Amino acid sequence: MGIFKKKVQPLYFRPSDASVAQAFKNGNAMTKLSFFVFGLGNIANKQLVRGLIFLAMEIGYFAYLFSFGIGALGDFITLGTVEQGQVFNEALGIYEYSAGDDSMLCLLYGVITLALTAAIIFIGCMSGKSAYCTQFRKEKGMDIPSFMDDIRSLKEENLHAFLLAFPIIGILCFTVVPLVFMILIAFTSYDHDHQPPGNLFTWVGLANFKSMFSQGSKLASTFWRYYHGH
């Protein structure tokens, strides 16, 4: 008769066990708020260090966003609006250059800001799941893990996550972000006539790909000659 027994739903004791949707749907008001005010549910349940770590990351992100990130996103959309100027200084008898926008840096800083935004959304989801885990334990009368318990878990059941965290962060920072940056350049007007910092380049969408496959275009003749030659 064992095979006819009703399947028991798993109990979610750790943030990694419950999905974000389950945590938000089944969580109480404090858990739901933890998705927006990071660490709130943990702090309310006396997991001060864990909660403050979540909160510090959110504060750090918004400090970056308001001091630099919003401007970086604006420059990412325009890729710069002020070109480098050239003025002849009669007293010195030389040309002096005034600083302008650098489209390459506008693109790079925009990609970095978007990557940090994706990271903070992920951390927000972890904050909500962590609050739900704590809520669930409290409702079931289970012990609430302390910060020392969290540290000990890194040497036991969470050892795999601890060991993989650094390689994954390295891959994201030094492989994925630069790759996205290089891919996005293909959707701009960057060429020998639009090289920063002296010149700006702009977004052109799929125009480069259309030109590459258009018969008789300069880009197509250059690309396909090289392709067939190899």
Side-chain angles (χ1 to χ4, degrees), residues 192-207:
H192 66 283
D193 294 323
H194 300 86
Q195 293 189 12
N199 303 101
L200 300 175
F201 56 79
T202 59
W203 295 107
V204 295
L206 298 174

Side-chain angles (χ1 to χ4, degrees), residues 97-112:
Y97 293 90
S98 59
D101 294 330
D102 189 324
S103 295
M104 196 70 74
L105 292 180
C106 291
L107 180 60
L108 175 61
Y109 294 150
V111 171
I112 292 174

Side-chain angles (χ1 to χ4, degrees), residues 13-45:
F13 298 133
R14 299 180 302 174
S16 58
D17 293 330
S19 68
V20 174
Q22 288 171 326
F24 191 83
K25 179 181 178 180
N26 300 325
N28 56 26
M30 195 65 68
T31 294
K32 288 181 171 65
L33 284 174
S34 297
F35 284 95
F36 306 100
V37 182
F38 298 176
L40 184 61
N42 298 117
I43 294 173
N45 287 292

Side-chain angles (χ1 to χ4, degrees), residues 153-216:
S153 73
L154 296 178
K155 298 186 293 183
E156 297 173 3
E157 65 267 23
N158 291 323
L159 178 62
H160 63 290
F162 177 69
L163 294 178
L164 288 174
F166 296 102
I168 290 175
I169 292 173
I171 291 172
L172 291 174
C173 292
F174 300 110
T175 301
V176 176
V177 170
L179 183 61
V180 171
F181 170 75
M182 295 302 294
I183 290 174
L184 289 177
I185 289 179
F187 297 91
T188 70
S189 61
Y190 176 72
D191 57 21
H192 66 283
D193 294 323
H194 300 86
Q195 293 189 12
N199 303 101
L200 300 175
F201 56 79
T202 59
W203 295 107
V204 295
L206 298 174
N208 291 329
F209 298 93
K210 182 179 179 181
S211 177
M212 186 173 66
F213 291 103
S214 297
Q215 194 173 25

Side-chain angles (χ1 to χ4, degrees), residues 38 54 57-58 61-62 115-125:
F38 298 176
F54 278 127
M57 288 189 283
E58 183 178 23
Y61 170 76
F62 279 106
L116 290 175
T117 301
I120 205 65
I121 291 174
F122 174 78
I123 293 171
C125 292

